[in-house]
């Protein structure tokens, strides 16, 4: 669990979670537009909305609350990007 939380912390700090959420939002809009342009498909649009709920729920990670207390797991050597030293 510590390794997972630490990896999530690194992704959060790098902004990759925010970027992924923004990309999912963009793709959802594009897909829904294409569905409408092709005559609409309510069941497919509903599936897209249900999938997007998962994206919205993970947006809560943007505040970093789930990462409080995340630290480097015991025995894991991590090189800092700044100076190349292991921590």
């Amino acid at each position: 669990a510590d390794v997972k939380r630490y990896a999530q912390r690194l992704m959060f700090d790098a902004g990759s979670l925010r970027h992924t959420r923004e990309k999912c939002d963009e793709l959802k809009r594009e897909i829904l537009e294409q569905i409408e342009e092709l005559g609409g498909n309510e069941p497919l649009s509903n599936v897209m909305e249900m999938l997007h709920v998962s994206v919205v729920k993970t947006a809560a990670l943007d505040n970093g609350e789930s990462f409080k207390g995340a630290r480097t797991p015991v025995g894991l050597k991590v090189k800092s990007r700044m100076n190349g030293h292991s921590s």
Side-chain angles (χ1 to χ4, degrees):
D2 283 340
V3 173
K4 179 181 175 185
R5 288 174 54 87
Y6 180 69
Q8 288 173 330
R9 175 88 244 171
L10 291 176
M11 290 187 297
F12 171 76
D13 289 345
S16 64
L17 296 176
R18 183 183 68 250
H19 172 75
T20 300
R21 191 197 76 239
E22 290 169 357
K23 187 64 177 177
C24 287
D25 290 342
E26 177 186 329
L27 290 171
K28 176 200 168 216
R29 282 189 302 274
E30 290 176 15
I31 290 168
L32 290 175
E33 286 174 11
Q34 289 179 6
I35 291 170
E36 286 306 310
E37 288 172 4
L38 295 170
N41 183 322
E42 189 174 347
L44 184 55
S45 293
N46 290 341
V47 168
M48 290 303 304
E49 293 295 342
M50 288 181 354
L51 291 172
H52 191 66
V53 168
S54 296
V55 173
V56 171
K57 285 181 180 178
T58 60
L61 295 176
D62 282 347
N63 66 17
E65 288 298 314
S66 67
F67 304 118
K68 285 190 176 178
R71 61 187 187 284
T72 305
V74 176
L76 182 65
K77 299 284 186 192
V78 179
K79 285 190 177 186
S80 169
R81 286 194 212 179
M82 301 297 269
N83 57 20
H85 297 300
S86 295
S87 59

